[in-house]
């Protein structure tokens, strides 16, 4: 995100002006006076908006740039043309698909057309699933995910809750937003079958492409066989193109057709059409981007878990959910990270079922993560000591030399030089002190960690980070026959297991 840091007073006020969602990139840029890096500002690193940092590829951006005039000048094709192209890539029947101007448009139509009386959903979760039905007068039954269990969803307990409340619609997000909780495919199918008598069951898979727990975790194929199940998918999140606004749902032809007939003729814009028709030539780049996000998520989880007092929850999304140390106000931390370090984070105090003690941090490349860790270390503890260094990349071994090539002479090592004296940085300089150096007094840390002084030359090994485990719920209580075959909820896919790129299937 290219927003300049410098005029931050108005920017931080935006978070208090809108309590439902974070301010947009454009609002932050306007609040910063429209500054750019060339004007002396500092770029903001965005850990708030959960999009794919590795896609589209540079070649795709170049092609879109070349077509910019046509994209902005002409009407797009009808939605049915764009839907047919997407379905040919995904191996889906167009009669089972409805494309919308972002998943939020589809949530709105699902609420208006398919939800009657009441809706049950675990919280915390994506805010539109609670806000939208309440705006139309529906009763929303909120099932609180237990923090003690790592916010893991117990399917049997959720079904019992739906029965006790008499809810007519049930929704789950898999993976869940903001905590990244994941249910394996067999558990989701069992949940769908246990609620087969409801008016509607929605499985929101907006972040499922980022999951690496199973090779084929989507239940879209199972949804088309059931009369009351809708699967929701997002394209903007997966492709790193939130601004285009496109998503789709998969359901049996009757449900999909009911939504599709209500959509406007040109509800998808020309940017969405251009991207959809480019995808067939960039499948491998997309698959590679998902593998890179998965790698970055593991590294970022380990590094965050090494910060004292921070609790990190396992995630299968492209974000990580963390609980701040005792006594830390997430809103204060958010504002200071933005003002002092140019780091934008998602504080979750405005999410139902969460509080200001929690943050959702989007998975980003290591260069950006180092800036986040430095900011967190400085604001929380008053020192950069806790900012773990980036993992050392192994260098490839040099090629073997031919036997006939003469080996170089080994030169004697030069005598050791005296170590340079470490100078104290002036207070106005950024804090990059050596380990165990006392931090300057201003600014006061939000969270103080006391550390006993140790000899300068003896560096103690860092403790192994602990990641808060998720409690395994009785996912198979409703499906006893599958109990013997239930894999762990977060089992890693064996090395070498092929993972479909965007779940493409050849239509042929």
């Amino acid at each position: 995100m290219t927003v300049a840091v410098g005029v931050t007073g108005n920017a931080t006020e935006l978070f208090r002006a809108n309590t439902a969602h974070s301010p947009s990139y454009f609002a932050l840029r306007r609040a910063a006076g429209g500054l750019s890096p060339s004007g002396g500002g500092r770029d903001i690193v965005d850990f708030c908006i959960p999009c794919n940092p590795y896609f589209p590829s540079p070649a795709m951006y170049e092609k879109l740039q070349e077509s910019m005039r046509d994209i902005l000048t002409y009407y797009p094709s009808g939605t049915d043309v764009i839907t047919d192209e997407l379905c040919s890539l995904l191996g889906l029947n167009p009669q089972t698909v409805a494309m919308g101007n972002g998943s939020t448009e589809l949530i709105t139509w699902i609420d208006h057309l398919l939800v009657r009386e009441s809706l049950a959903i675990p919280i915390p979760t994506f805010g539109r699933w609670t806000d939208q039905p309440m705006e139309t007068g529906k009763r929303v039954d909120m099932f609180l995910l237990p923090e003690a269990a790592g916010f893991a969803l117990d399917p049997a307990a959720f079904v019992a809750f739906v029965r006790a409340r008499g809810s007519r619609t049930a929704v789950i997000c898999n993976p869940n937003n903001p905590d990244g909780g994941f249910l394996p495919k067999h558990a989701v199918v069992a949940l769908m079958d246990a609620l087969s008598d409801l008016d509607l069951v929605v499985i929101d898979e907006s972040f499922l492409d980022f999951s690496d727990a199973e090779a084929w975790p989507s239940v879209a194929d199972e949804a088309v066989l059931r009369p009351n199940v809708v699967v929701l998918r997002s394209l903007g999140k997966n492709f790193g193109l939130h601004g285009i606004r496109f998503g789709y749902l998969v359901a049996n032809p009757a449900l999909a057709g009911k939504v599709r007939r209500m959509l406007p003729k040109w509800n998808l814009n020309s940017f969405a059409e251009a991207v959809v028709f480019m995808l067939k030539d960039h499948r491998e780049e997309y698959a590679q981007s998902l593998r890179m996000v998965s790698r970055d998520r593991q590294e970022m989880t380990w590094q965050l878990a090494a910060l004292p007092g921070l609790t990190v929850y396992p995630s299968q999304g492209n974000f990580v959910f963390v609980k701040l140390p005792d006594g830390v106000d997430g809103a204060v931390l958010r504002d200071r990270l933005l003002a002092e370090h140019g780091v934008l984070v998602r504080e979750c105090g405005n999410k139902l079922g969460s509080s200001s003690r929690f943050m959702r941090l989007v998975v980003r490349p290591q260069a950006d993560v180092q800036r986040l860790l430095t900011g967190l270390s400085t604001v929380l503890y008053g020192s950069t000591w806790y900012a773990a260094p980036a993992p050392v990349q192994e260098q490839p071994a040099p090629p073997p030399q031919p036997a006939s090539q003469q080996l170089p002479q080994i030169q004697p090592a030069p005598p050791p030089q005296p170590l340079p004296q470490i100078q104290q940085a002036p207070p106005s300089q950024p804090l990059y002190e050596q380990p165990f150096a006392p931090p300057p007094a201003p600014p006061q840390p939000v969270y103080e960690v006391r550390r006993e002084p140790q000899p300068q030359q003896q560096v103690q090994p860092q403790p192994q980070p602990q990641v808060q485990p998720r409690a395994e719920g009785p996912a198979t209580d409703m499906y006893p026959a599958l109990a013997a075959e239930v894999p762990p909820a977060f089992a890693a896919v064996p090395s070498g297991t092929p993972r479909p790129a965007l779940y493409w299937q050849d239509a042929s």
Side-chain angles (χ1 to χ4, degrees), residues 323-336:
K323 184 178 182 180
L324 302 174
D326 292 338
V328 176
D329 186 337
V332 175
L333 176 59
R334 175 201 63 205
D335 292 349
R336 287 189 58 182

Side-chain angles (χ1 to χ4, degrees), residues 354-426:
S354 182
S355 73
S356 177
R357 288 281 307 281
F358 294 91
M359 281 186 171
R360 185 194 67 194
L361 303 172
V362 174
V363 173
R364 294 195 61 83
Q366 268 298 309
D368 295 339
V369 174
Q370 289 305 305
R371 188 156 152 189
L372 169 69
L373 293 171
T374 298
L376 287 172
S377 297
T378 303
V379 176
L380 288 176
Y381 318 114
S383 172
T384 58
W385 164 246
Y386 297 101
V392 178
Q393 301 292 334
E394 294 186 2
Q395 299 295 327
Q401 297 181 349
S404 59
Q405 184 173 348
Q406 184 178 3
L407 294 176
Q409 297 295 321
I410 300 177
Q411 301 295 330
Q417 299 294 325
L419 294 176
Q421 297 297 318
I422 299 175
Q423 300 295 329
Q424 178 74 25

Side-chain angles (χ1 to χ4, degrees), residues 121-125 143-155 158 172-183 311-316 319-324 348 351-360 468-473 489-490:
I121 186 166
I123 59 170
T125 193
F143 177 76
L144 185 62
L145 295 172
E147 178 186 341
F151 297 96
L153 174 62
D154 180 343
F158 181 57
I172 67 167
C173 298
N174 193 43
N176 191 40
N177 173 15
D179 58 277
F182 174 79
L183 282 180
T311 303
V312 184
Y313 299 92
S315 172
Q316 282 290 296
F319 45 81
V320 179
F321 198 50
V322 301
K323 184 178 182 180
L324 302 174
C348 294
K351 278 188 172 289
L352 296 171
S354 182
S355 73
S356 177
R357 288 281 307 281
F358 294 91
M359 281 186 171
R360 185 194 67 194
Q468 176 71 28
R470 291 185 187 274
E472 299 257 354
F490 295 95

Side-chain angles (χ1 to χ4, degrees), residues 194-256:
L195 300 175
S196 60
D197 60 318
L198 298 190
D199 297 335
L200 184 67
V201 177
V202 180
I203 312 298
D204 188 338
E205 296 182 348
S206 291
F207 294 97
L208 193 62
D209 273 15
F210 297 108
S211 169
D212 59 6
E214 293 182 330
W216 189 264
S218 176
V219 295
D221 291 341
E222 287 73 18
V224 300
L225 304 177
R226 290 164 170 79
N228 71 329
V229 177
V230 170
V231 169
L232 190 66
R233 302 299 302 266
S234 171
L235 295 175
K237 297 179 180 67
N238 299 339
F239 298 157
L241 294 170
H242 281 274
I244 289 183
R245 308 302 303 145
F246 55 171
Y248 66 98
L249 64 78
V250 182
N252 73 71
L255 284 179

